[in-house]
Amino acid sequence: MRVDIISIFPEYFAPLDVSLIGKARRKGLLDIRVHQLRDWTHDVHRTVDDTPYGGGPGMVMKPEPWSEAIDTVIGSAETPPRLIVPTPSGRPFTQEVALEYAKEPWLLFAPARYEGIDARVMAEYGARLRLDEVSIGDYVLAGGEAAVLVMVEAVGRLLPGVLGNAESVADDSFAPGAMASLLEGPVYTKPPVWRGHEVPPILLSGNHAAIARWRRDEALRRTAARRPELVAGLARKGLDKRDLEVLDDASFRFMPEDMAD
Ligand code: JBK
């Protein structure tokens, strides 16, 4: 997969040289190219922002550097990239979206600083290619760069050959399918007693069926406590008698609309 990133802070993307994504790049599985937006300005100050029409606080990113940058990166490519603009007003970036992006041959990220990019850039490229304005969560960042790091890691680890067999995509907490929308329960390793805290004895029992059931119980308890909104979705996929007992014991109460069909 090819990934282009246009930003006024190319140095921000140094973490993409490290660990899993760094290795994927060195193996040639990921071709990441980071570009300085200011290279497409023409004034001595390399200006990328200006005051907002209509007034208000902060600054807005000018359309011309963005369009020149995006046009240059796209070049005369027959199949243009998918353009992704991180913004708190975007659609939520989820594991489903990551899986969709992982099928693409080419992604172009356009992270903004200040109050965002002049909306006419989105109007122009929304008409010319597939454009997504996406949010990684409901909190305030200083710009879209951190969101790009998050998305490149989430997508990059899904590419064929990037993960080893030991880690694998199949049992991810949010992978649609297998462990669908159940949070992972607690995990333990040696020593069996640490500072007086014991590993739950069932995990040392060698009884694999009992261990699997215990892990599901813990996952259900944790999901009910931390992400109760996910439990309704679980109910639709089918919960067995033991699941319902565990949820009841965790004081989880279904709403009438959860019981439909
Ligand atoms: C946020 O993708 N986001 O979630 C995002 C992008 C740019 C600024 C932001 O505050 N939340």
Side-chain angles (χ1 to χ4, degrees), residues 85-89 112 134-145 147-148 151:
V85 180
T87 164
S89 51
V134 295
S135 167
I136 63 157
D138 295 336
Y139 31 74
V140 182
L141 301 173
E145 280 78 4
V148 173
M151 289 188 273

Side-chain angles (χ1 to χ4, degrees), residues 126-158:
R128 281 172 50 185
L129 36 78
R130 287 171 305 154
L131 164 67
D132 289 350
E133 293 183 76
V134 295
S135 167
I136 63 157
D138 295 336
Y139 31 74
V140 182
L141 301 173
E145 280 78 4
V148 173
L149 288 177
V150 166
M151 289 188 273
V152 170
E153 183 163 319
V155 173
R157 64 181 288 285
L158 295 174

Side-chain angles (χ1 to χ4, degrees), residues 19-104:
S19 187
L20 191 79
I21 300 299
K23 194 168 178 188
R25 295 175 78 177
R26 291 189 292 275
K27 290 207 297 189
L29 301 171
L30 246 184
D31 174 12
I32 301 180
R33 308 179 192 183
V34 183
H35 312 271
Q36 169 57 269
L37 177 68
R38 292 189 197 278
D39 290 350
W40 287 280
T41 58
H42 305 286
D43 62 313
V44 283
H45 302 294
R46 312 232 287 166
T47 309
V48 294
D49 63 329
D50 205 340
T51 54
Y53 275 123
M59 299 291 271
V60 173
M61 297 193 95
K62 294 166 62 59
E64 302 94 330
W66 278 110
S67 63
E68 288 187 34
I70 294 168
D71 289 347
T72 305
V73 166
I74 295 175
S76 53
E78 205 164 290
T79 316
R82 192 144 172 182
L83 176 59
I84 302 160
V85 180
T87 164
S89 51
R91 295 173 173 279
F93 177 77
T94 61
Q95 189 65 23
E96 274 198 345
V97 177
L99 286 158
E100 201 183 292
Y101 289 172
K103 294 182 210 152
E104 300 283 342

Side-chain angles (χ1 to χ4, degrees), residues 151-254:
M151 289 188 273
V152 170
E153 183 163 319
V155 173
R157 64 181 288 285
L158 295 174
L159 301 177
V162 172
L163 282 192
N165 248 345
E167 331 124 285
S168 100
V169 163
D171 50 31
D172 292 352
S173 268
F174 288 93
M179 283 285 287
S181 304
L182 245 195
L183 301 186
E184 301 272 5
V187 295
Y188 301 87
T189 186
K190 290 168 278 296
V193 184
W194 175 76
R195 295 191 177 182
H197 301 271
E198 290 186 1
V199 171
I202 185 114
L203 296 177
L204 312 180
S205 70
N207 182 340
H208 299 296
I211 290 170
R213 184 62 249 185
W214 181 86
R215 284 186 168 149
R216 182 167 175 87
D217 293 356
E218 292 302 305
L220 284 164
R221 285 185 210 286
R222 184 173 275 188
T223 306
R226 300 180 180 178
R227 300 290 303 279
E229 80 280 10
L230 295 181
V231 179
L234 283 177
R236 293 176 206 295
K237 302 205 164 155
L239 294 169
D240 64 20
K241 184 153 160 283
R242 172 66 187 169
D243 293 338
L244 295 172
E245 284 168 8
V246 170
L247 290 171
D248 190 66
D249 185 62
S251 302
F252 184 85
R253 297 293 173 265
F254 283 99

